[in-house]
Amino acid sequence: MRMLILSDLHATFESSDQKNSRLSFKDKESEFGRRFIHYCKSLNLNIDFLVCPGDISNQGCGDSFENGWRFLNQVSNELNIKEILCVPGNHDLQSRPGTNFSPLHSVKFCEPSFPSNDFETNTHFWGWNWSHIEAKSFNCVLLNSSAYHGFSTEYKHGRVAPETIKQLSNFIKSDDFKEKPFNLLLCHHHPVKREDVDFESDYEVMDGGQALLNEIERESSEPWLVIHGHKHFASIFRAQSGGFTAPLIFSAGSFSAKLYPEIETRTANQFYILDIDLEATSENERLIGTFEAHSWDVDNNWHPSSSENLPHKGGFGTDISPKNIIFKIKELLEIEPYLDENSLQPIYEMLTHYTPTEFKELLKKLTKANLEYDISEHKLIQVALKK
């Protein structure tokens, strides 16, 4: 099951302030958007779901939202994607004074309808700040983490109310929540603190986020994937958990927002392709799959990511420790003095579902094991014993 993830578009248009986004529209057309669609078509992808964790608009502007939402539907149509899964972000609602009297009103009454094409789903979402979509291979919970924006200083962070968590918990325990290989929680704000992004206290985190993760993990038997945006900084990691099936959190970087100075040298504008191995996920009771990250910059246009925090290819869901991989490498080194890409093929299979952080941990342990190595794009290309 394959997802295309675009987050934090911050779409603008010709007559608005364009300094915040590369996705700028003139007469309903965007050169940046057109190049993206052309690049995706060249990859010959077969996408099941287009996923957007919010901030389609910029600074509560209704015209920005109209352009961004139209673009997402254009992507869905031109790439033959079956369904869009989407939630609003803080820029789509009441975070800032916009050009219309109510950004929330514009989002509720836009065409095509938002966040889904189903009236009852949307009514539940706007009434209770969450809704459920049952797909063939997973349950999806859409969460409005910007629901309280417009009140006091709520625009500074996300929130999920205790009453909302209780509603979700009761729903997950009900017969209406049917068992699937995995569950997806889609939200805009990050549910756990990300003080590693700006290297300072994180006050933007979703209030109640950790309680929400604890509850959904406790009340369901199948693993959870959490996809969020907001931070404009990509990463993939397991949430803090006391159980066997800790939620996997995929933090999407920004598709087209111009990056702020603290992160612009450490990440890039990106989109992602997430592949879930449904059979392996169901059999092993944990999310197993791979991802691809593609980046944009002025010199190279769209291209396979060379960003360190989320490289071009990686995975998630491994149960193979670095110790076992090092043992296998040393076995191979007993046959030949050094290993090249051909010799390392068995190792590549073992590394398929390593996250970037897990791969970095492996490299540290290779050094401690007296092994020297060369890598290219987060891939081992040669390994030998140190002389």
Side-chain angles (χ1 to χ4, degrees):
M1 195 281 297
R2 179 171 290 174
M3 298 178 179
L4 170 64
I5 302 174
L6 307 182
S7 186
D8 293 84
L9 280 60
H10 292 266
T12 60
F13 58 99
E14 185 183 29
S15 60
S16 69
D17 184 359
Q18 299 176 36
K19 68 181 180 180
N20 294 311
S21 179
R22 305 186 190 282
L23 186 67
S24 181
F25 290 85
K26 179 181 180 181
D27 298 328
K28 300 183 179 181
E29 295 293 331
S30 166
E31 176 66 16
F32 184 87
R34 185 189 64 78
R35 290 188 178 189
F36 160 74
I37 292 174
H38 178 76
Y39 179 75
C40 278
K41 286 182 175 179
S42 73
L43 298 176
N44 295 315
L45 302 170
N46 183 20
I47 305 293
D48 298 300
F49 293 90
L50 171 59
V51 178
C52 179
D55 274 2
I56 298 166
S57 177
N58 192 61
Q59 298 185 357
C61 175
D63 290 330
S64 293
F65 184 85
E66 180 183 346
N67 281 286
W69 184 229
R70 184 191 306 114
F71 171 71
L72 287 175
N73 281 273
Q74 179 188 358
V75 171
S76 176
N77 291 332
E78 294 206 28
L79 299 183
N80 298 314
I81 300 175
K82 301 172 185 176
E83 189 171 350
I84 300 176
L85 300 173
C86 197
V87 291
N90 54 302
H91 277 258
D92 302 318
L93 301 179
Q94 301 281 21
S95 293
R96 297 163 175 82
T99 57
N100 54 350
F101 77 94
S102 171
L104 175 59
H105 176 89
S106 298
V107 172
K108 280 184 177 181
F109 288 92
C110 70
E111 291 293 338
S113 62
F114 181 90
S116 80
N117 58 9
D118 180 73
F119 180 80
E120 290 187 5
T121 299
N122 293 347
T123 300
H124 198 283
F125 182 84
W126 295 118
W128 298 107
N129 303 322
W130 68 275
S131 59
H132 168 252
I133 294 174
E134 182 181 348
K136 181 179 179 180
S137 54
F138 64 98
N139 287 294
C140 177
V141 172
L142 306 178
L143 177 68
N144 185 3
S145 63
S146 304
Y148 301 98
H149 284 40
F151 300 96
S152 185
T153 58
E154 285 292 318
Y155 69 92
K156 295 181 179 180
H157 58 83
R159 180 181 296 278
V160 55
E163 294 84 355
T164 302
I165 296 174
K166 185 176 181 180
Q167 276 189 343
L168 276 168
S169 177
N170 289 335
F171 176 73
I172 291 169
K173 290 184 285 188
S174 74
D175 294 335
D176 293 326
F177 194 82
K178 297 177 175 60
E179 190 172 285
K180 307 282 183 178
F182 76 99
N183 306 306
L184 169 65
L185 172 66
L186 181 61
C187 52
H188 180 64
H189 292 86
H190 41 301
V192 295
K193 285 192 173 185
R194 295 300 314 278
E195 294 173 345
D196 56 313
V197 176
D198 298 321
F199 304 115
E200 58 184 26
S201 297
D202 181 3
Y203 299 107
E204 299 178 337
V205 66
M206 184 195 308
D207 278 4
Q210 186 62 58
L212 171 64
L213 295 184
N214 293 345
E215 191 68 15
I216 62 175
E217 180 188 2
R218 178 166 55 246
E219 299 302 343
S220 55
S221 57
E222 303 306 321
W224 283 86
L225 168 64
V226 180
I227 299 178
H228 74 81
H230 189 65
K231 292 299 287 183
H232 297 192
F233 194 87
S235 61
I236 184 168
F237 60 96
R238 296 182 187 89
Q240 180 180 344
S241 169
F244 288 105
T245 55
L248 182 74
I249 298 180
F250 189 93
S251 176
S254 172
F255 172 69
S256 48
K258 293 184 180 179
L259 303 174
Y260 57 94
E262 289 82 357
I263 65 170
E264 64 181 352
T265 61
R266 297 160 52 216
T267 187
N269 291 120
Q270 292 185 324
F271 72 87
Y272 313 96
I273 301 157
L274 213 63
D275 282 296
I276 310 292
D277 187 329
L278 295 172
E279 184 177 352
T281 294
S282 183
E283 288 180 357
N284 293 277
E285 297 183 315
R286 65 177 184 277
L287 276 157
I288 297 176
T290 58
F291 70 81
E292 284 188 16
H294 297 260
S295 299
W296 184 92
D297 60 51
V298 174
D299 295 327
N300 300 303
N301 200 0
W302 286 107
H303 59 279
S305 172
S306 56
S307 179
E308 182 177 348
N309 65 305
L310 214 61
H312 178 214
K313 292 189 176 183
F316 47 90
T318 187
D319 64 348
I320 302 173
S321 69
K323 182 177 181 180
N324 287 335
I325 290 177
I326 291 171
F327 180 80
K328 180 64 176 179
I329 287 174
K330 288 186 174 181
E331 271 191 341
L332 294 172
L333 286 170
E334 290 177 359
I335 302 172
E336 46 190 321
Y338 73 92
L339 307 176
D340 58 16
E341 289 187 74
N342 290 329
S343 304
L344 285 166
Q345 285 301 321
I347 303 301
Y348 295 153
E349 294 178 9
M350 299 173 74
L351 289 174
T352 298
H353 299 117
Y354 261 50
T355 67
T357 301
E358 290 166 342
F359 183 73
K360 290 177 184 178
E361 182 180 340
L362 170 66
L363 297 183
K364 290 180 182 178
K365 292 186 176 182
L366 285 173
T367 300
K368 289 183 178 180
N370 202 38
L371 296 168
E372 56 186 10
Y373 56 85
D374 288 324
I375 61 172
S376 177
E377 294 187 352
H378 296 255
K379 179 180 179 181
L380 290 168
I381 57 173
Q382 183 171 306
V383 180
L385 283 168
K386 288 182 181 178
K387 296 180 181 178

